[in-house]
């Protein structure tokens, strides 16, 4: 089972322009690593990273392990000083966090595409939501598309077992 989504802006996500980057990394020009030291990883100092994919699902009739994989895509211009944070979270249907994990990359590797995986045991016959959050910093507008975007896809494994 998969869920998809995306977020985009037509304003630079650089330090010093604090009006638009709010959708990409919060309300200050702090490093994205500050999210990795917070709980949950997608929130820091009152700011929440944008949700780039989600999938609601109901577990099977027994408690068991479920595997989650989040993938992302992006557009923008990367010149080597960027940061990127992708967070994969599993929440109860009421929004209470069950667990989350993240992948942070910076500098030349920030333009690389990677996956984030998570394995967790979930209660039987219960509805959960898997969410993928993402943040970019110091990314410039794509030269021909004129925007910066993050898109995501979450896959949930174990629902048929």
């Amino acid at each position: 089972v998969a869920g998809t989504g995306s977020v985009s802006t037509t304003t630079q996500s650089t330090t010093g322009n604090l009006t638009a980057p709010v959708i990409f990394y919060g309300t200050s020009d702090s490093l994205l690593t500050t999210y990795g030291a917070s709980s949950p990883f997608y929130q820091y100092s009152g700011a929440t990273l944008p949700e780039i994919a989600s999938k609601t699902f109901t577990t099977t009739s027994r408690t068991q392990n479920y595997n989650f994989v989040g993938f992302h895509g992006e557009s923008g211009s990367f010149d080597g000083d960027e940061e990127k944070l992708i967070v994969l979270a599993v929440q109860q249907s009421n929004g209470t966090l069950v667990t989350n994990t993240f992948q942070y990359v910076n500098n030349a590797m920030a333009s690389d595409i990677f996956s984030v995986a998570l394995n967790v045991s979930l209660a039987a016959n219960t509805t959960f939501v898997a969410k993928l959050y993402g943040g970019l910093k110091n990314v410039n507008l794509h030269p021909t598309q004129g925007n910066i975007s993050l898109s995501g896809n979450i896959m949930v494994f174990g629902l048929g077992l």
Side-chain angles (χ1 to χ4, degrees):
V1 177
T4 62
S6 67
V7 62
S8 68
T9 184
T10 56
T11 306
Q12 303 288 84
S13 73
T14 55
T15 304
N17 178 356
L18 300 182
T19 55
V22 125
I23 70 162
F24 281 101
Y25 67 92
T27 57
S28 73
D29 62 354
S30 62
L31 298 173
L32 281 173
T33 55
T34 56
Y35 283 88
S38 64
S39 180
F41 297 135
Y42 53 86
Q43 292 180 333
Y44 171 71
S45 189
T48 300
L49 292 174
E51 181 183 305
I52 58 174
S54 69
K55 180 61 185 172
T56 301
F57 63 96
T58 301
T59 55
T60 63
S61 60
R62 61 188 178 111
T63 298
Q64 66 182 35
N65 281 1
Y66 292 85
N67 293 300
F68 303 86
V69 181
F71 298 96
H72 75 283
E74 63 199 19
S75 73
S77 177
F78 293 79
D79 58 14
D81 67 341
E82 295 79 19
E83 295 179 67
K84 178 169 49 182
L85 180 73
I86 304 295
V87 178
L88 178 57
V90 177
Q91 302 168 351
Q92 295 175 353
S93 58
N94 65 5
T96 302
L97 181 68
V98 175
T99 189
N100 63 164
T101 190
F102 70 92
Q103 180 81 22
Y104 169 83
V105 292
N106 64 358
N107 301 323
M109 294 187 306
S111 62
D112 292 349
I113 304 297
F114 53 83
S115 61
V116 180
L118 186 61
N119 178 287
V120 63
S121 179
L122 298 175
N125 299 315
T126 306
T127 300
F128 294 93
V129 183
K131 294 186 177 187
L132 194 66
Y133 298 88
L136 295 171
K137 183 176 179 185
N138 294 337
V139 175
N140 298 309
L141 295 176
H142 189 278
T144 57
Q145 295 174 347
N147 71 351
I148 300 167
S149 67
L150 272 173
S151 59
N153 190 334
I154 294 178
M155 291 190 284
V156 182
F157 298 93
L159 294 174
L161 302 176

